[in-house]
Amino acid sequence: MKITGVEPFILHVPVTRSKIEDSTHSVTYWGAPGVILDTDAGIRGYGYTGTHAYLPLDRLITDCISKTYGPLLIGEDPLEVQHLWRKLYHFPPAQWVGRSGITHLALSAVDIALWDIKAKAAGMPLWKLLGGNASKKVAAYNTDGGWLNWTVEQLVADARQMVEEQGYRGVKIKVGSPDPGEDLVRVEAVRRAIGPRPRLMVDANGRWDLTTAINTGRHLRDYDVYWLEEPLWYDDLAGHARLARSIETPIALGEQLYMRDSFRDFIQAGAVHFVQADAVRLAGITEWWQVADLALAHHLPVAPHIGDMMQVHLHLTIAHPACSLLEYIPWLRGCFEEPATVEEGFFTVPQQPGAGTTFKPSALEKYGVA
Ligand code: 0YR
Ligand code: MG
């Protein structure tokens, strides 16, 4: 098989309820810059990454895909994914300007499109190509009701509905308000609303300094918080290691880490308990799998962050032995031929061949901005 075409696209899709905020980001559209790879076999591979839909930067990602990686891909056999990943990852001019950042997000989209082709060529969903089994139960926790711009009343109503009516196995709420005392009021209100059983996670999106994280984090055990996510600046390895030794609540992080090297360092330092590798920030499925194996070797659970809005990570979670729990945010639900779906708190198992990334033509039409 040969790659015959490299066609970039950019989608901007509105988030569920007009605007969401965490301590650091304010988001009205989710961005999906990506690529369609055409082949001489007639198979089309779809891959994309996740952004905050800022067009000038999305354009840099798709430029990198088409102008830098495109010429390296045309004529190659898309089934040789590991070989092509190495070729692109180590392309010296790209390595020189960006071993993380834009070049990395671009490579993630390409790598995912390649795996999509490989699974389609094999006639299997990706989870099966990767060796998974359909009986694996993937529990879903919902993040789309925990935003920092929700009032306590909204927060409580959403959490209750998700757990009691929709059956989610947990909810995640944002912290990192200007007043940490307010954060604890919100955590307490949600725990009281959902009862002792469902998981409750909190996410500071990198906002706190070490002192705030220790002082506020100490109280989280009173509400049986399952994990504290991104308490400190993303790259502050020493800070996270100290925090992990100072509080009882486990630390989750990884959505902002671009490289397997960073995961190795955080894991070695004992600075992370839940490894939140994201295949659309790492260089695709290929590097994600390397990180998941690394976590497995350290007996740490992998709970992927879902910059892809679950489509790819559902396959990876079914297939990889370090995974059992997956985040749910429905922003791209309307875009795919086979959208990731939760029933009674567990994800249903995708059946279509591929990586779950095939967009409906109507979605490409409606949300395309490039
Ligand atoms: C805004 N999930 C996250 C929002 C999310 C962000 O980027 O999507 O809160 O990426 O932290 O765990
Ligand atoms: Mg997060």
Side-chain angles (χ1 to χ4, degrees):
M1 202 186 294
K2 289 215 173 350
I3 298 170
T4 54
V6 177
E7 194 189 309
F9 61 82
I10 299 173
L11 304 187
H12 286 179
V13 184
V15 303
T16 326
R17 282 168 290 189
S18 71
K19 184 174 84 164
I20 62 91
E21 285 176 3
D22 60 36
S23 67
T24 307
H25 315 105
S26 177
V27 177
T28 51
Y29 285 82
W30 196 249
V35 65
I36 300 173
L37 296 181
D38 276 305
T39 64
D40 60 359
I43 295 175
R44 309 192 93 189
Y46 294 74
Y48 60 97
T49 182
T51 69
H52 289 175
Y54 185 69
L55 192 56
L57 290 172
D58 288 350
R59 286 222 167 95
L60 292 180
I61 294 171
T62 50
D63 268 6
C64 179
I65 291 172
S66 57
K67 295 178 187 162
T68 296
Y69 295 139
L72 300 172
L73 291 165
I74 295 289
E76 291 279 2
D77 182 347
L79 302 180
E80 298 175 352
V81 184
Q82 300 286 351
H83 161 73
L84 291 177
W85 184 86
R86 281 184 61 82
K87 178 177 171 179
L88 270 48
Y89 193 87
H90 293 290
F91 180 56
Q95 193 171 289
W96 186 270
V97 301
R99 287 190 304 285
S100 59
I102 285 159
T103 52
H104 227 76
L105 298 181
L107 181 49
S108 79
V110 170
D111 178 83
I112 290 166
L114 291 170
W115 280 103
D116 186 42
I117 292 172
K118 198 170 173 72
K120 284 172 175 165
M124 316 176 172
L126 180 67
W127 59 261
K128 190 160 196 138
L129 181 75
L130 295 171
N133 176 274
S135 67
K136 172 101 167 256
K137 298 274 273 178
V138 176
Y141 77 88
N142 199 316
T143 300
D144 198 29
W147 305 109
L148 211 53
N149 56 328
W150 270 212
T151 63
V152 185
E153 291 74 29
Q154 268 177 300
L155 203 61
V156 163
D158 275 5
R160 198 174 265 145
Q161 190 192 23
M162 283 164 181
V163 166
E164 286 171 14
E165 288 167 35
Q166 297 164 354
Y168 283 94
R169 302 291 135 157
V171 292
K172 185 159 83 188
I173 68 170
K174 300 295 181 176
V175 293
S177 321
D179 170 13
E182 176 63 21
D183 287 328
L184 290 174
V185 168
R186 291 161 73 88
V187 173
E188 182 178 14
V190 171
R191 174 50 86 196
R192 195 179 300 136
I194 63 176
R197 191 104 184 265
R199 293 182 180 95
L200 170 59
M201 297 80 154
V202 307
D203 187 353
N205 288 92
R207 196 69 183 173
W208 287 335
D209 57 28
L210 185 58
T211 308
T212 310
I214 291 175
N215 288 337
T216 311
R218 255 198 333 239
H219 297 287
L220 295 176
R221 58 157 301 198
D222 299 343
Y223 310 107
D224 198 15
V225 168
Y226 192 65
W227 73 53
L228 167 59
E229 180 169 325
E230 291 199 315
L232 308 172
W233 176 252
Y234 319 111
D235 300 307
D236 182 6
L237 174 58
H240 283 98
R242 281 185 61 188
L243 181 63
R245 284 170 186 83
S246 308
I247 63 171
E248 286 180 43
T249 303
I251 309 292
L253 57 82
E255 67 176 80
Q256 297 268 349
L257 299 181
Y258 288 89
M259 294 186 289
R260 60 190 169 195
D261 306 69
S262 305
F263 282 96
R264 177 202 57 218
D265 294 344
F266 273 83
I267 289 172
Q268 265 175 12
V272 56
H273 303 101
F274 289 91
V275 177
Q276 296 183 299
D278 189 332
V280 304
R281 183 175 302 275
L282 290 159
I285 292 163
T286 304
E287 193 172 22
W288 184 94
W289 198 269
Q290 296 165 1
V291 170
D293 279 349
L294 176 73
L296 184 68
H298 289 82
H299 303 281
L300 293 174
V302 175
H305 178 256
I306 44 131
D308 65 326
M309 300 294 129
M310 297 91 60
Q311 290 300 118
V312 178
H313 288 102
L314 177 51
H315 290 261
L316 300 179
T317 303
I318 293 169
H320 201 280
C323 299
S324 60
L325 179 66
L326 190 60
E327 184 169 20
Y328 183 80
I329 302 180
W331 298 337
L332 296 191
R333 240 198 100 67
C335 294
F336 297 99
E337 302 246 324
E338 192 183 26
T341 301
V342 176
E343 277 171 17
E344 287 167 23
F346 292 90
F347 281 91
T348 58
V349 177
Q351 300 299 322
Q352 290 182 13
T357 51
T358 305
F359 284 94
K360 291 195 284 202
S362 59
L364 292 169
E365 179 78 15
K366 183 170 176 193
Y367 301 118
V369 292

